[in-house]
Amino acid sequence: MLLKPPAIFIMGPTASGKTDLAVALRAHLPVEIISVDSAQIYKTMDIGSAKADPSVLEKHPHALIDIRDPSEAYNVGDFVKDARRQMKDIRARGNIPLLVGGTMMYFKLLFSGLSDLPGGDPVIRDNLLRRATQHGWESLYEELMRLDPETARKLHPNHSQRIQRALEVIEITGKPLSVLQAKGVHKGVQHDYRVESLALISGNRQLLHQRIEERFRQMMARGFLGEVRALYERDDLSADLPSLRTAGYRQIWQHLDGEFDIGEAVNRAIIASRQLAKKQLTWLRKWPDANQILIDDGEQVLSCEKICKESLKILSNHRIL
C-alpha cells in the first residue's frame, strides 16, 4: 500500500466547512485541490454553489470549477475522466491530489470504478425531457419499472436525472442499465492510489441545520436572487436542466416563474439544503474506512484550526505526512 501514491478525499455535508479545511491543509501539505461538486463546475453559478471567493481561488486554485456553461451536460462519467486526469497531472508535479466536495456519487464512482456505459445523446435526452414535461416523471418511472425493474427499485419517482439516464441508456444500447453495470467496471482510483478519506460529521444535527440556514441567508444578502435572475433571463436555459435542479437554484427559479413569493422560496431552499445534507451524511456513514471528524462538540461549531489539527493527526498516523 505504501508504494502507491497518496490521495486525500475531504467529504462532508453542505455547509460543513470542507473548502476551509482544504485551504488550511495547503499550509501543511504539498497538495493541489480538485473540486468534487456537480454545481461548481458551472460558470456564472457562483453564489448558490458556494464557490470560494475569487481571491481565495486565485491563491488556492481548484481544478474542475467553471468548466461548463449551465446549458451544457456533465455527468459522473465526465467527472471521473476529468478527475483522473487532474490527479495524474498533480502526481507528475510531485504533489498530492486533494479532492474536496459534497457530490457523493462522484466520489463513489471515482473511488470504486465506473461501468462501461455509453455517453449521453442530446436528442434522446431532450425527447425524454419533453415527455416528462407532458406526462410527468412518474410516467417515465413506470416505464423504467417495466424495462429495467432492478434499476427502478433503487430509485424514487422524483429522481428525475437518474430515471432519464437509465431510459437514455436503454434507448441507446437496447439493454437495461443494470445489465450493463453488472458486465464490468473500470477500476477505481483505490487501485492506483492510497486514498485517505476525511469525513466531516456533525455531532449535533441542529447546529448543522442552523449553519445551513445562516449560509443560505448570507447567499441571498450577497445577491443570489440576481444571480438566478440572470440565468432565468437567458433564452437557452430551463428548469429541466441538471444545472438548475440544484438545491437553491431550483427554488429561486420557481419564485421567478411565479410559483411562490421570495420568502417561501428561501424557506423551501433551506429545507432542500437540509435534505441534501441528510443524504450526504447517509453516504458518509456507509463510506469504507472513512476517518470521521466532528465539526462541532455538540454545543458549538469547532474552529477550522481545530479541525485541521485533527485532520493532520489522522493523515500523519496513516503516513501521508
Side-chain angles (χ1 to χ4, degrees):
M1 280 295 293
L2 292 178
L3 295 177
K4 295 180 181 180
I8 303 169
F9 287 2
I10 297 179
M11 307 176 292
T14 184
S16 59
K18 299 181 293 294
T19 298
D20 290 343
L21 175 59
V23 169
L25 286 175
R26 276 176 55 85
H28 305 274
L29 294 168
V31 296
E32 295 185 42
I33 300 172
I34 301 173
S35 172
V36 186
D37 190 293
S38 60
Q40 292 186 1
I41 63 169
Y42 294 111
K43 301 172 185 176
T44 74
M45 292 177 58
D46 303 329
I47 299 173
S49 68
K51 289 176 190 170
D53 291 338
S55 59
V56 174
L57 292 176
E58 183 177 1
K59 187 176 181 180
H60 306 281
H62 288 46
L64 305 189
I65 283 182
D66 293 337
I67 60 172
R68 288 288 190 279
D69 184 83
S71 63
E72 297 176 319
Y74 190 83
N75 58 40
V76 65
D78 297 324
F79 168 78
V80 169
K81 178 182 66 177
D82 291 343
R84 289 198 70 119
R85 184 180 66 251
Q86 292 289 340
M87 294 175 75
K88 182 178 179 181
D89 292 346
I90 290 169
R91 288 305 310 162
R93 291 191 287 270
N95 293 325
I96 300 172
L98 172 60
L99 294 97
V100 56
T103 303
M104 299 305 300
M105 180 63 76
Y106 282 11
F107 271 121
K108 179 181 184 298
L109 294 183
L110 177 65
F111 181 78
S112 300
L114 186 68
S115 299
D116 191 9
L117 299 176
D121 185 310
V123 175
I124 293 174
R125 185 178 298 120
D126 288 346
N127 182 52
L128 289 168
L129 286 173
R130 282 195 296 271
R131 289 171 55 196
T133 300
Q134 292 173 356
H135 306 293
W137 282 105
E138 188 171 348
S139 69
L140 270 69
Y141 177 77
E142 291 172 356
E143 180 179 344
L144 181 62
M145 183 62 78
R146 292 194 302 272
L147 298 174
D148 187 359
E150 183 177 344
T151 295
R153 281 193 291 269
K154 298 176 183 178
L155 305 178
H156 186 277
N158 291 337
H159 290 166
S160 56
Q161 191 171 357
R162 296 171 69 184
I163 293 169
Q164 174 187 309
R165 176 57 176 161
L167 290 173
E168 179 186 42
V169 168
I170 292 171
E171 191 160 345
I172 293 172
T173 67
K175 299 177 181 179
L177 176 63
S178 57
V179 171
L180 294 175
Q181 288 177 327
K183 274 190 170 183
V185 174
H186 296 298
K187 65 180 183 179
V189 297
Q190 62 177 321
H191 296 280
D192 302 317
Y193 292 84
R194 181 162 51 94
V195 178
E196 290 301 333
S197 302
L198 306 178
L200 303 186
I201 300 292
S202 177
N204 183 331
R205 189 69 59 86
Q206 187 59 37
L207 281 177
L208 179 61
H209 284 183
Q210 291 173 3
R211 188 163 172 164
I212 289 170
E213 178 173 356
E214 289 170 3
R215 187 175 73 163
F216 191 81
R217 295 194 183 279
Q218 289 170 1
M219 289 177 177
M220 294 300 297
R222 290 173 52 206
F224 183 43
L225 176 59
E227 178 173 282
V228 182
R229 182 178 284 113
L231 297 167
Y232 185 82
E233 291 174 351
R234 286 178 48 170
D235 295 333
D236 59 339
L237 300 181
S238 72
D240 291 324
L241 288 167
S243 58
L244 296 169
R245 292 203 291 265
T246 305
Y249 287 94
R250 185 185 190 98
Q251 291 74 27
I252 300 301
W253 187 284
Q254 290 172 321
H255 159 68
L256 295 172
D257 250 349
E259 293 189 36
F260 30 74
D261 64 28
I262 189 61
E264 178 67 13
V266 169
N267 288 336
R268 285 172 178 253
I270 291 169
I271 291 170
S273 298
R274 289 172 175 171
Q275 291 171 339
L276 171 61
K278 182 179 179 181
K279 293 176 182 177
Q280 291 166 320
L281 288 167
T282 299
W283 274 94
L284 290 174
R285 292 191 197 97
K286 299 177 181 178
W287 192 268
D289 301 320
N291 299 283
Q292 296 191 357
I293 300 175
L294 286 172
I295 62 170
D296 61 68
D297 61 7
E299 296 182 359
Q300 61 182 359
V301 176
L302 300 177
S303 68
C304 182
E305 182 181 1
K306 288 185 178 180
I307 296 171
C308 182
K309 184 177 181 180
E310 178 63 20
S311 300
L312 290 170
K313 180 180 177 182
I314 291 170
L315 295 173
S316 178
N317 289 340
H318 289 276
R319 301 179 68 178
I320 295 292
L321 298 182

